[in-house]
Amino acid sequence: MEGGIQPTDGVAFKDCISIVRTNPYVLRMAFSAGVGGLLFGYDTGVISGALLYIRDDFEEVDRKTFLQESIVSMAVAGAIVGAAAGGWMNDRFGRKTAILIADFFFFVGSIIMATAPNPAVLIAGRILVGFGVGIASMTAPLYISEASPAKIRGALVSTNGFLITAGQFLSYLINLAFTEVPGTWRWMLGVAGLPALMQFILMLSLPESPRWLFRAGRVEEAKVILEKIYPPREVAAEIQALQDSVNAESEENSTEKVSIGQIFKTKSVRRALVIGIGLLVFQQFVGINTVMYYSPTIVQLAGFASNKTALLLSLITSGINAFGSIISIYFIDRTGRKKLLIISLAGVIISLAILTGAFHQASIESPPVGRAVTASFGGNTCPTYQPPSATWNCAQCIFAECGFCASGTEKMLPGACVVSNSTLKDQCEGGSGLWYTRGCPSNFGWLALLGLAMYILFFSPGMGTVPWVVNSEIYPLRFRGTCSGIAAATLWVSNLIVAQTFLSLTETIGVAWTFMIFGLISMGAMVFVVMLIPETKGLPFEEVETMLEKKLLHVSSSNRRG
């Protein structure tokens, strides 16, 4: 396995600043590849706001929860295929070519979505964009990792995580900017084509990963790039480490095609794959993409009815997400991967407990349906509401797929439960009422927003970025493309499960119980991290392989050798 120069234990953020200041070429490679992360973040985040307006334009989408979930999750289905194919592309054609292919799918998919005449075409565009997301999700951190000096590898790979969150923040900003523009969601989805085109141009001027070139036998090309990345005193040792890696692989007849059987027969690779897949699966199952895909919807479920208000509050939470990624860049090579994960999960568990409590209290204290105010809407009473015997509240009205018109002056007063359509919505809002079809007025809305903000602030620096960093470090060179593809494909399968079931879960068991499930899964993730995750901070690649070969359990948060 290829190595690197053993760094000292004092690795920190200032080392990263010092190296990229004296050698901006390294930063240029990292950020150019990281635009894939920006696209990844934008395309996963933008749908949360666009969905509010897609529902307004297509009545069948507004009526069918499954169709809403499909518009969101079909991009994830495309990402599963993209991630699986991306592993093969990376090994066969190289990291750079895989990124260029991802950009092509981003661009074409964005154009199709922006011009979609119906939900079916929109979903087709989402699938194409998802294919690009899947390739980029596993290729960008791989390229950055292989083009980074060992001592700042974690910080530079974390820039990809920062750009993912920056893309999500940008998507909410764009969503808010286009709320009053004709075409709303078409602009929101179409804008993603621009950064895809930008990255395509940037990557054309950059080289292939030096480690991929070395293994492909293009040694002289690799040496030229390594001389640009490493200080002169370290180049010779890095080249020798790579040469030793290639020679060792030759002795193992590693020129043969990597197979699944070889992966599971090799102890260190098998253990690495368990760690890599486990981290990425837990990253999804603790619920992060319910927040990123449905953030405005969750804000509305917390009692904030206006689309614009929901987008504005979601923009704030997305900004917190980006800020958390900056924290990760600062601490990941100082504190270490494992400690960040433990701190992150502890905060996530507390935040989910707050969200569970807030939504539980909101459901108990939902405002009642008033018979008189409902009657004032004429013959438009919700069909399943039968006064005078019925004693309903807002939650029951929403569950019956009707609309609740609350008082604009005191939202907890009795409101009207009527048929949900645009005419009655306008009538409600025209009379200074507040119109609810998702979530109800609540005195606990701000507590839910606090829990949401805490969740993102704790998730982002640890569970948001560290799983990608660890996956870029733990696989041997000859298995790296294939294993990264398998891990990323598993992540997107997990993502699909969460995205496709969240709204249905909230409708079936309630928002509070849904967040409680995520909290219990987070506890399981904590046990997994404490028991199985090794500390890879500052280690050359070959030492990570040796560590995994020796033992399965890694309870300690240090990688010091005795």
Side-chain angles (χ1 to χ4, degrees):
M1 193 172 183
E2 86 277 20
I5 305 303
Q6 174 65 36
T8 61
D9 288 336
V11 177
F13 184 67
K14 63 182 180 181
D15 296 304
C16 181
I17 297 296
S18 175
I19 289 174
V20 298
R21 183 183 297 159
T22 56
N23 187 5
Y25 184 75
V26 173
L27 190 62
R28 179 185 164 199
M29 294 179 74
F31 269 90
S32 295
V35 175
L38 183 80
L39 285 162
F40 172 6
Y42 185 89
D43 280 302
T44 54
V46 71
I47 194 62
S48 63
L51 188 61
L52 301 179
Y53 296 94
I54 292 169
R55 293 201 314 244
D56 291 341
D57 277 8
F58 298 125
E59 287 188 9
E60 63 267 43
V61 175
D62 189 45
R63 292 196 306 267
K64 298 177 181 177
T65 298
F66 178 79
L67 197 52
Q68 294 174 39
E69 290 173 329
S70 296
I71 290 172
V72 171
S73 62
M74 283 305 99
V76 183
I80 294 170
V81 179
W88 172 78
M89 289 180 196
N90 272 270
D91 284 340
R92 180 69 179 84
F93 302 111
R95 302 4 175 177
K96 175 181 173 178
T97 302
I99 290 174
L100 293 175
I101 293 171
D103 288 330
F104 171 79
F105 284 107
F106 275 127
F107 186 80
V108 173
S110 297
I111 299 302
I112 291 174
M113 289 190 298
T115 58
N118 55 57
V121 176
L122 176 60
I123 289 172
R126 290 284 293 164
I127 291 172
L128 287 178
V129 164
F131 199 77
V133 167
I135 298 171
S137 68
M138 52 84 57
T139 305
L142 199 58
Y143 181 91
I144 297 170
S145 174
E146 294 184 347
S148 301
K151 64 161 56 180
I152 62 168
R153 187 174 63 228
L156 287 180
V157 175
S158 288
T159 63
N160 183 65
F162 165 70
L163 287 169
I164 291 173
T165 58
Q168 290 165 339
F169 178 77
L170 177 64
S171 72
Y172 288 119
L173 197 62
I174 293 293
N175 283 346
L176 193 61
F178 283 111
T179 52
E180 304 297 334
V181 176
T184 51
W185 62 269
R186 297 184 185 277
W187 286 102
M188 295 171 181
L189 298 177
V191 163
L194 296 178
L197 185 61
M198 180 185 73
Q199 186 184 42
F200 191 91
I201 295 170
L202 287 173
M203 290 303 300
L204 287 175
S205 64
L206 288 175
E208 181 53 79
S209 156
R211 286 173 171 79
W212 184 87
L213 289 172
F214 218 103
R215 189 167 186 272
R218 296 156 64 178
V219 176
E220 293 306 315
E221 291 180 63
K223 287 180 178 178
V224 170
I225 300 165
L226 289 170
E227 287 170 356
K228 293 181 179 180
I229 295 173
Y230 284 87
R233 65 183 181 278
E234 297 180 6
V235 173
E238 182 66 21
I239 290 173
Q240 186 59 53
L242 276 169
Q243 187 63 64
D244 291 344
S245 170
V246 172
N247 291 341
E249 288 186 4
S250 297
E251 292 174 5
E252 298 170 2
N253 297 318
S254 61
T255 54
E256 298 176 5
K257 183 179 179 181
V258 172
S259 67
I260 299 297
Q262 287 176 305
I263 289 173
F264 286 100
K265 286 178 184 177
T266 308
K267 184 189 295 184
S268 61
V269 182
R270 183 174 67 248
R271 289 176 174 175
L273 198 58
V274 169
I275 290 167
I277 288 176
L279 276 178
L280 291 175
V281 168
F282 276 121
Q283 183 192 63
Q284 299 305 305
F285 280 175
V286 299
I288 182 56
N289 278 313
T290 62
V291 174
M292 300 323 300
Y293 293 146
Y294 299 111
S295 183
T297 301
I298 292 172
V299 171
Q300 289 185 333
L301 289 170
F304 300 90
S306 163
N307 282 357
K308 191 169 184 178
T309 301
L311 287 173
L312 180 60
L313 292 172
S314 297
L315 178 64
I316 296 171
T317 57
S318 183
I320 295 171
N321 195 23
F323 175 72
S325 297
I326 296 173
I327 295 175
S328 178
I329 294 172
Y330 183 84
F331 282 106
I332 195 162
D333 283 323
R334 176 190 294 261
T335 304
R337 286 62 160 149
K338 185 163 186 168
K339 287 180 182 177
L340 267 184
L341 286 171
I342 291 172
I343 294 169
S344 175
L345 282 168
V348 163
I349 291 168
I350 294 170
S351 304
L352 287 169
I354 292 172
L355 282 166
T356 299
F359 279 106
H360 177 67
Q361 287 301 117
S363 67
I364 292 175
E365 300 187 12
S366 182
V369 172
R371 295 171 187 169
V373 68
T374 299
S376 69
F377 281 82
N380 295 304
T381 300
C382 178
T384 51
Y385 174 65
Q386 299 294 330
S389 59
T391 54
W392 275 22
N393 60 25
C394 171
Q396 291 167 303
C397 178
I398 300 301
F399 186 76
E401 298 184 355
C402 293
F404 184 82
C405 183
S407 168
T409 55
E410 176 49 63
K411 62 184 180 181
M412 299 305 291
L413 289 174
C417 182
V418 296
V419 175
S420 178
N421 59 43
S422 56
T423 300
L424 293 178
K425 175 184 177 183
D426 292 341
Q427 184 179 339
C428 172
E429 293 176 341
S432 300
L434 298 173
W435 181 255
Y436 291 86
T437 56
R438 295 187 176 278
C440 290
S442 170
N443 290 325
F444 296 91
W446 290 105
L447 180 61
L449 289 182
L450 174 64
L452 196 62
M454 284 180 57
Y455 175 92
I456 293 171
L457 185 61
F458 278 103
F459 178 92
S460 183
M463 286 298 290
T465 57
V466 175
W468 295 107
V469 174
V470 172
N471 266 274
S472 73
E473 296 176 324
I474 57 177
Y475 306 120
L477 177 58
R478 64 181 290 240
F479 294 100
R480 189 166 298 161
T482 302
C483 288
S484 295
I486 292 171
T490 307
L491 170 137
W492 289 111
V493 170
S494 306
N495 189 311
L496 177 62
I497 293 170
V498 173
Q500 189 65 35
T501 59
F502 175 70
L503 291 181
S504 297
L505 269 176
T506 60
E507 289 182 357
T508 303
I509 64 173
V511 184
W513 284 102
T514 301
F515 280 120
M516 178 176 285
I517 290 172
F518 291 144
L520 294 174
I521 293 172
S522 299
M523 293 179 186
M526 177 73 84
V527 175
F528 178 83
V529 168
V530 170
M531 299 299 293
L532 295 179
I533 304 302
E535 180 52 70
T536 58
K537 178 185 76 171
L539 291 179
F541 288 123
E542 86 272 8
E543 292 200 24
V544 177
E545 182 180 8
T546 301
M547 181 165 55
L548 291 174
E549 182 76 29
K550 288 181 178 178
K551 59 181 180 178
L552 174 63
L553 299 179
H554 301 271
V555 179
S556 171
S557 60
S558 170
N559 60 21
R560 289 187 175 87
R561 296 163 296 283

